[in-house]
């Protein structure tokens, strides 16, 4: 068990005050203070007599005579608490002993007796007992206080064994004497009050005219109290803490020197009620609850402690109210200094907590920052406001040159003027770089004095104080972070230490962001290098595309798109996604894009093309998968045929119709699919939109693909509801220059549409874990008068019929200048079909960006160029076709094949 500091201090002062006592006085002194410290009702002390005689009552405190008489003798072998404490040599707590139960004489109901042995080095000489109410085990600190007093008194009692008759009489006399003394003191107090009132009424000092013998030798005109001649009173008088006592009528009976500072001198306080002193000092005005606290403590009979600010000196005191049988004692310790120290400690703890919180907030923000811009913004948001700074600039060292990596709160012209400065110049950044220590400049005058060559910089930057912090990473200084202030600013030691600590976090984050920016730039360059540099300009479709890399991580993705011109004014629209991220996936994407272009040149239909592409992916590895959607748009028929391997379906936007997604559930992805692939055909009237996209646009961890597709449909509906300047449908009379102007306008509107869709589905500040690709095509069907087709006879006359049809149609189209070459080309194609194919034979002319001639037959034989010798009469037809046309080729049709040529219109 232990005592708190206040109790231990009081016990020490009490024992020091009683050092000169011995015998009964010593025992009574110890007993009195044991009762006081525990808040007990009373107490008694027993000492062992000579021989085998019973324990004798040697001292009593606060017990009525009838109770004390029953305890004058206690059998040493009995069951009473004092006897057991002596027998066991340890404290004993006995609650509510009753008469006749073998535990000793009767005591008041609901009480308990704490008996502590008086132990000397030779033997147990007696017991010190305290009567307490209620009958609850005393608190550890009270228990310890009684033990301490018993341990102090016991050694001083050696050599004084009590005489039976003397001790018995002393016990009776003490019990009776104390009661008589209490009555006499009350009579004296009442007489003293009466005398004081009379003396004051006669204009005399309250101490004049009093008989020193009747008054006990008190000097009532000084600061001596009622017990000034008593050693205990002297000890209490010289206590460092304030101490005063009041009786049951709340009259002040004792004040020590420190208490006079609170209540006033004893001349004005003794004999008067405590409430008079409170009224005189206006205590109730400052602490209106103080009086009720005193009353509650007296009524409860339990010591009470609290802190209060005393109105007379505005100092803080820790008051302990201890009820005693005839009143209340008050201990008041001045804790102003300790409270101030505690306040300083609390302020320091708050500052440390705030500093820790700032470091934690900055750490969290920097951990989420990826790019240099993110890092600079995080530093500006978390560092500048707490310090009242107005700007920050991050400068990195590249070789021997200082580069601006990011800044907030600085004019752009100033940043441009200092970017690229040499590290060898005399400057604060160079100083910090070379020394590795921070530099703090408190004013413009100090800056100019230290760096005269740069005297104009403060005015240009609109700053007047600076903290130049080194950015050190793994022992390497990579640059300097400058925190600037708009007004002169002197940072204290704590602020400088905090900024220095934060600079370490900033250095790590800035270096990480710098490396991320470098790698991310390289990855984006690689990704974009694998995608089409520009989409072809075609008359059949107007296209626009976007690729958005993932914002999380630096690895490249596998999304790609392509627009491939085909024969017959048709166009292939392709979009795909290699699953995964990394250089391997990017390389695979490049291989697949090349393969699709090659297969498209061979004019394979969508389902067959995906079948061949699936074989290629399967050969690349077991764990490689990709999705792909391949669509072919035919402007002559205004239809689109597509097949999908695990790819989201295309969105179709027809003028005046709601957005819908074409096709059903896609086939499995490439690498896992089992051909054949399903083919879907949709009609696309003039001005329709075909929207191809990858899953990164519509799917994320927070949004499933179905909800994403609904979001895409809503975005397309909103964006197409307000047409742009180039969205107008081309009319049939648009030609050449007018058509190109319309295409440029249509392309501009599609670019706007791409931006709006991306902004809606992937906001700029939203982090994405997957890259996304978007390809939008607006279809342009060939006008009916730009298409001419004829069946041809089976036989040699077919060539002549073809030439006649060509001549008449070109004249109608006002392209007579192309007639000679076109007739020659048609003759060779028809002759080839007659000789190597089989009927029926057909001829079709298409007027688009160029003049297209198509000859069809029912043979699957693919023509190829032969290298005829000089003496051969034939075999030069296809060589002639290749020489006269811009390009030519063959494609399979559902009924056979088609040989085609294309010529420029001019």
């Amino acid at each position: 068990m232990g005592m708190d500091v206040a109790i231990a201090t009081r016990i020490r002062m009490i024992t020091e005050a009683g050092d000169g006592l011995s015998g009964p006085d010593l025992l009574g002194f110890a007993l009195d203070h044991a009762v006081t410290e525990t808040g007990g009702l009373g107490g008694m002390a027993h000492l062992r007599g000579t021989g085998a005689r019973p324990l004798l009552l040697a001292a009593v405190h606060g017990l009525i005579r009838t109770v004390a008489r029953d305890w004058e003798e206690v059998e040493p072998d009995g069951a009473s608490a004092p006897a057991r404490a002596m027998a066991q040599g340890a404290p004993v707590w006995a609650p509510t002993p009753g008469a006749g139960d073998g535990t000793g004489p009767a005591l008041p109901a609901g009480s308990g007796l704490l008996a502590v042995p008086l132990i000397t080095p030779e033997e147990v000489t007696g017991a010190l007992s305290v009567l307490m109410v209620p009958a609850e085990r005393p608190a550890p600190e009270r228990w310890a206080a009684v033990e301490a007093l018993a341990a102090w008194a016991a050694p001083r009692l050696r050599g004084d064994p009590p005489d039976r008759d003397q001790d018995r009489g002393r016990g009776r006399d003490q019990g009776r004497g104390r009661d008589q003394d209490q009555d006499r003191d009350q009579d004296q107090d009442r007489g003293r009050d009466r005398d004081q009132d009379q003396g004051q009424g006669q204009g005399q000092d309250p101490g004049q005219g009093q008989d020193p013998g009747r008054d006990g030798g008190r000097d009532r005109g000084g600061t001596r109290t009622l017990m000034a001649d008593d050693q205990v009173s002297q000890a209490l008088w010289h206590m460092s803490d304030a101490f005063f006592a009041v009786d049951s009528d709340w009259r002040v009976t004792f004040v020590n020197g420190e208490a006079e500072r609170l209540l006033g001198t004893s001349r004005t306080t003794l004999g008067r009620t405590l409430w008079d002193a409170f009224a005189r000092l206006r205590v109730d005005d400052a602490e209106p609850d103080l009086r009720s606290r005193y009353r509650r403590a007296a009524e409860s009979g339990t010591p009470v402690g609290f802190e209060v600010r005393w109105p007379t000196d505005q100092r803080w005191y820790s008051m302990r109210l201890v009820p005693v049988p005839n009143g209340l004692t008050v201990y008041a310790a001045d804790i102003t200094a300790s409270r101030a120290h505690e306040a300083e400690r609390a302020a320091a703890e708050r500052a440390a907590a705030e500093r820790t919180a700032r470091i934690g907030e900055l750490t969290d923000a920097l951990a989420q920052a990826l790019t240099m811009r993110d890092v600079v913004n995080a530093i500006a948001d978390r560092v500048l406001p707490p310090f009242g700074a107005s700007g920050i600039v991050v400068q990195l060292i590249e070789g021997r040159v200082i580069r601006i990596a990011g800044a907030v709160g600085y004019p752009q012209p100033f940043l441009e003027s200092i970017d690229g400065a040499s590290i060898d110049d005399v400057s604060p950044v160079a100083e910090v770089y070379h020394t590795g220590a921070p530099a703090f400049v408190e004013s413009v005058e100090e800056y100019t004095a230290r760096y005269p060559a740069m005297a104009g910089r403060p005015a240009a930057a609109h700053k007047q104080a600076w903290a130049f912090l080194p950015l050190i990473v793994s022992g390497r200084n990579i640059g300097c972070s400058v925190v600037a202030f708009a007004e002169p600013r002197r940072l204290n030691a704590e602020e400088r230490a905090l900024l220095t600590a934060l600079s370490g976090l900033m250095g790590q984050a800035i270096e990480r962001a710098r490396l991320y920016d470098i790698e991310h730039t390289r990855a984006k360059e690689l990704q974009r290098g694998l995608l089409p540099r520009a989409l072809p300009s075609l008359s059949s479709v107007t296209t626009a595309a976007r690729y958005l890399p993932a914002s999380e991580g630096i690895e490249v993705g596998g999304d790609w798109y392509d627009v491939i011109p085909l024969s017959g004014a048709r166009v292939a629209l392709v979009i795909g996604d290699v699953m995964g991220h990394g250089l391997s996936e990017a390389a695979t994407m490049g291989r697949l894009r090349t393969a699709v272009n090659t297969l498209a040149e061979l004019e394979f239909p969508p389902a067959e093309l995906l079948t061949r592409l699936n074989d290629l992916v399967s050969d690349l590895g077991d764990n490689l998968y990709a999705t792909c959607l391949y669509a072919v748009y035919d402007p002559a028929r205004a239809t689109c045929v597509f097949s999908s391997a695990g790819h989201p379906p295309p969105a179709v936007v027809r003028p005046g119709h709601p957005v819908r997604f074409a096709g059903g559930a896609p086939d499995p992805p490439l690498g896992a699919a089992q051909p054949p692939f399903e083919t879907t055909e949709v009609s696309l009237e003039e001005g329709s939109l075909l929207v191809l996209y990858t899953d990164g646009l519509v799917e994320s961890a927070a949004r499933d693909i179905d909800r994403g597709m609904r979001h895409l449909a809503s975005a397309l509906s909103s964006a197409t509801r307000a047409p742009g300047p180039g969205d107008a449908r081309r009319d049939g009379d648009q030609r050449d220059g007018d058509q190109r102007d319309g295409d440029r306008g249509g392309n501009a509107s599609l670019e706007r549409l791409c931006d709006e869709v991306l902004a809606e589905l992937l906001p700029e500040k939203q982090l994405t874990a997957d890259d996304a690709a978007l390809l939008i095509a607006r279809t342009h069907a060939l006008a009916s008068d730009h298409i001419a087709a004829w069946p041809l006879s089976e036989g040699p006359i077919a060539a002549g019929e073809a030439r006649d049809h060509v001549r008449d149609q070109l004249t109608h189209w006002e392209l007579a200048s192309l007639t000679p070459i076109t007739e020659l080309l048609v003759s060779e194609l028809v002759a080839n079909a007659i000789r190597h194919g089989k009927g029926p034979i057909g001829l079709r002319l298409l007027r688009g960006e160029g003049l297209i001639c198509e000859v069809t037959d029912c043979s699957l034989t693919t023509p190829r160029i032969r290298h005829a010798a000089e003496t051969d009469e034939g075999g030069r037809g296809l060589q002639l076709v290749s020489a006269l046309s811009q390009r030519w080729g063959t494609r399979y049709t559902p009924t056979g094949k088609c040989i085609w040529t294309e010529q420029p219109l001019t």
Side-chain angles (χ1 to χ4, degrees), residues 788 790 792 797-827 843 845 851 853 903:
W790 306 271
L792 299 178
I797 63 172
E801 292 176 354
R803 287 193 293 271
D804 293 339
H805 291 315
V806 167
R807 187 182 310 109
D808 294 341
Q809 188 63 43
L810 292 183
T811 301
H812 176 71
W813 283 345
E814 298 180 356
L815 297 175
S817 60
L818 301 178
T819 300
I821 295 178
T822 307
E823 287 182 343
L824 183 57
L825 292 173
V826 168
S827 296
L843 171 65
L845 296 180
L851 179 62
C853 300
Q903 306 165 249

Side-chain angles (χ1 to χ4, degrees), residues 25-40:
D25 293 335
L26 172 66
L27 196 58
F29 178 82
L31 179 62
D32 290 347
H33 286 284
V35 173
T36 300
E37 289 299 322
T38 58

